[in-house]
Amino acid sequence: MKYIDPHIHMVSRTIDDYQRMAQAGCVALTEPAFWAGFDRRSSEGFYDYFRQLTVVEPGRAAGYGIQHYCWLCINPKEAEDLSLAREVISLIPLFLERPNVLGIGEIGLNKNSKNELTILEEQIALASEYNELILVHTPHLEDKLKGTKLIMDAIKRNGNIDPGRVLIDHVEEHTVEIVLDQGFWAGMTLYPDTKCTPQRAVDILEMYGNERLWMNSAGDWGPSDPLSVPKACNEMARRGHTQAEIEKVSFKNPKTFLSQCSKFKVDG
Amino acid sequence: MSCPITRERVVELYYLEHRAKLLDIAAFLDRLDRARPGDETASEEDFRIRSLREALKILSENEPGRARRVLELFSDPSMEPLESAAGLKGAFGTYPGGDS
Ligand SMILES: [Zn+2]
C-alpha cells in the first residue's frame, strides 16, 4: 500500500528510517521547517537549515525512491525575538523557487504570545504575497484550543487567504470541528504520548468524516514514530474500514491538498 | 464514516488494552499517595492532579464527546495573547485554573 507522510522532520531521522518508511509504502513526504530542539543564534543557522531542507534531504530520500518536499518559515518557538525572526523571513524568498518547496510552514503559535502572533501575521502576509500554500503548527496541550482560534482569526484578518489552501495541523477532538467548519484542511499528528494515538485518529475520522483530513507522523527528535501513518492504516483495517477509505486519508487527501502547488507530483 | 464493527467486537478488540490503562491511572494515584511531599509546607495538591481528578468524573458521564470534554477541561480558556513567551517553550498538559 502506498502512502504519503505529509509532515515529518527527516533532518532528525537516520537513513534507516527512510529505508523502513520506503518498505512500508511511503512514496512521498513533506518536511516543514521547525525548531531544532535548541534556539539558533543567528539567521545564518536558518540559511544552512533551508539548504539542508532543499538540497541535502531530497538527495537522501531519493536513495530510497521517496520524493522529498519541504516548507520554509521561522517557526513559532523561535519567533519571540522579532529582529531575528524578521531576518529569517527575509531569507525565505531566496529559496521559494527551489523545486521541492511547497509553501510557508509550519507557521503558527507556541505559547500564544504577542510577538509570536506578530510574526505569524507577517508570514501569512508573505504567503499571500507569493501565493504560497500554508502549513500551520498549532500549540501543544493546554495552549492548543486558544492558539488554534487565534491562528484562524489571524488568517481571516489577512483577507487574501483561501482557507482551502491552508492546512491546520495537530488537531485533536476539541479543535478538529472548528477547523473543518471554517473551510480549512486539518492534520492529525500520531504521537505516542501527546496529540493523537492511531486509535483516536481513526475515532476522529469516524466522528467527523474523511474530507479535508490527513494523518502524519510528525516524526522528529522527540518521542515519535516515523511508521505511525501505516500503523494508523492498520488500525483502520482492523476496524473493517475499506482499502478505498484507507487510501483516501493516507494518499489521496494529502495528494489533493499538496497538488495545489504545481511542483508537487506523485504517481497514482 | 461510522465505526464499521459491532459493539461486541469493539469490546473484544480493545477491552484488555484499556483495562491496563485504567490500572495504570489507579497505580499512579497510589504512587502519588505513597510518595513523600518534596515541600512539607505545600498544602494544595498540584494543579495537574486536581485537573486529572476532574477529568476522571467526565469519564463516568453517560454521553458521547468525553475525549473532547476532557481536552476542553485541560485547555486555557482565555483568548488574550500572552504578553511575552520569553523563557517559555513547553506546556504543562493542563491549565492551572482548569479545575472546577
Ligand atoms: Zn512539525
Side-chain angles (χ1 to χ4, degrees):
Chain A
M1 185 211 71
K2 62 176 184 295
Y3 76 93
I4 296 168
D5 192 337
H7 185 149
I8 183 163
H9 300 282
M10 294 310 294
V11 299
S12 304
R13 312 298 316 190
T14 64
I15 207 79
D16 295 347
D17 289 333
Y18 274 117
Q19 185 176 32
R20 290 187 298 149
M21 289 172 73
Q23 283 166 349
C26 181
V27 291
L29 59 83
T30 91
E31 174 158 9
F34 203 58
W35 193 50
F38 66 97
D39 290 351
R40 282 156 276 212
R41 292 184 306 164
S42 75
S43 59
E44 284 160 31
F46 288 88
Y47 188 94
D48 286 340
Y49 179 43
F50 294 164
R51 283 177 51 239
Q52 190 178 14
L53 291 175
T54 55
V55 180
V56 180
E57 288 305 323
R60 292 213 305 158
Y64 294 90
I66 296 175
Q67 299 199 62
H68 180 284
Y69 295 94
C70 72
W71 308 77
L72 302 177
C73 74
I74 172 82
N75 69 81
K77 284 198 179 187
E78 287 171 285
E80 194 62 23
D81 179 343
L82 292 177
S83 64
L84 173 66
R86 285 176 177 143
E87 271 179 50
V88 177
I89 292 172
S90 73
L91 297 175
I92 295 171
L94 306 176
F95 290 87
L96 285 177
E97 293 293 311
R98 298 263 172 120
N100 75 328
V101 178
L102 298 180
I104 303 298
E106 50 187 307
I107 55 172
L109 297 172
N110 181 51
K111 294 306 291 179
N112 301 324
S113 76
K114 289 184 172 171
N115 284 4
E116 289 172 11
L117 197 56
T118 299
I119 293 303
L120 170 65
E121 288 168 342
E122 291 178 16
Q123 295 192 97
I124 293 168
L126 181 75
S128 165
E129 183 186 343
Y130 287 87
N131 196 29
E132 296 286 337
L133 295 175
I134 295 178
L135 181 64
V136 169
H137 165 90
T138 53
H140 302 282
L141 304 169
E142 71 269 23
D143 301 315
K144 183 180 298 293
L145 181 59
K146 172 179 176 178
T148 302
K149 291 176 183 170
L150 289 172
I151 291 165
M152 291 193 299
D153 289 349
I155 294 171
K156 278 186 277 174
R157 264 199 310 280
N158 175 281
N160 269 322
I161 307 283
D162 168 5
R165 290 173 54 82
V166 180
L167 185 129
I168 299 194
D169 219 330
H170 318 318
V171 300
E172 291 179 59
E173 288 88 341
H174 58 328
T175 55
V176 61
E177 195 171 23
I178 50 175
V179 167
L180 292 175
D181 278 355
Q182 298 193 33
F184 297 102
W185 282 69
M188 296 183 288
T189 293
L190 308 163
Y191 267 1
D193 298 327
T194 59
K195 305 190 170 76
C196 279
T197 57
Q199 288 94 322
R200 280 174 51 217
V202 180
D203 292 335
I204 288 173
L205 289 169
E206 290 172 355
M207 290 187 286
Y208 298 99
N210 58 10
E211 294 299 332
R212 283 184 285 120
L213 264 167
W214 78 25
M215 305 188 291
N216 59 68
S217 71
D220 60 7
W221 41 266
S224 52
D225 176 2
L227 294 181
S228 60
V229 173
K231 284 176 185 170
C233 294
N234 289 345
E235 175 66 21
M236 289 182 78
R238 192 181 182 214
R239 289 192 203 176
H241 291 287
T242 64
Q243 278 306 309
E245 286 169 326
I246 295 170
E247 195 191 353
K248 178 163 171 59
V249 285
S250 62
F251 182 78
K252 286 194 171 153
N253 281 0
K255 183 185 172 191
T256 301
F257 178 79
L258 299 167
S259 296
Q260 296 183 89
C261 172
S262 60
K263 292 183 213 166
F264 185 82
K265 295 270 189 305
V266 68
D267 294 334
Chain B
M1 276 174 91
S2 53
C3 186
I5 51 176
T6 63
R7 206 167 272 192
E8 290 74 17
R9 186 79 183 123
V10 171
V11 176
E12 275 168 35
L13 281 180
Y14 297 104
Y15 173 69
L16 282 179
E17 176 187 341
H18 295 291
R19 175 185 182 276
K21 287 180 179 173
L22 188 69
L23 281 167
D24 274 343
I25 297 171
F28 168 62
L29 292 174
D30 287 345
R31 196 176 311 140
L32 201 62
D33 286 343
R34 283 199 319 279
R36 159 181 70 77
D39 177 3
E40 301 288 347
T41 61
S43 56
E44 282 231 324
E45 191 164 47
D46 188 289
F47 71 92
R48 289 166 291 191
I49 302 303
R50 287 205 309 272
S51 177
L52 194 77
R53 292 191 199 282
E54 285 302 311
L56 291 173
K57 294 180 194 163
I58 293 174
L59 304 193
S60 313
E61 291 171 4
N62 248 333
E63 50 190 312
R66 297 174 192 88
R68 178 182 182 152
R69 290 199 297 284
V70 167
L71 284 164
E72 285 166 352
L73 170 80
F74 289 161
S75 295
D76 176 357
S78 74
M79 274 306 285
E80 266 308 296
L82 198 66
E83 208 47 55
S84 164
L88 302 174
K89 284 280 193 240
F92 295 104
T94 190
Y95 179 67
D99 55 333
S100 61

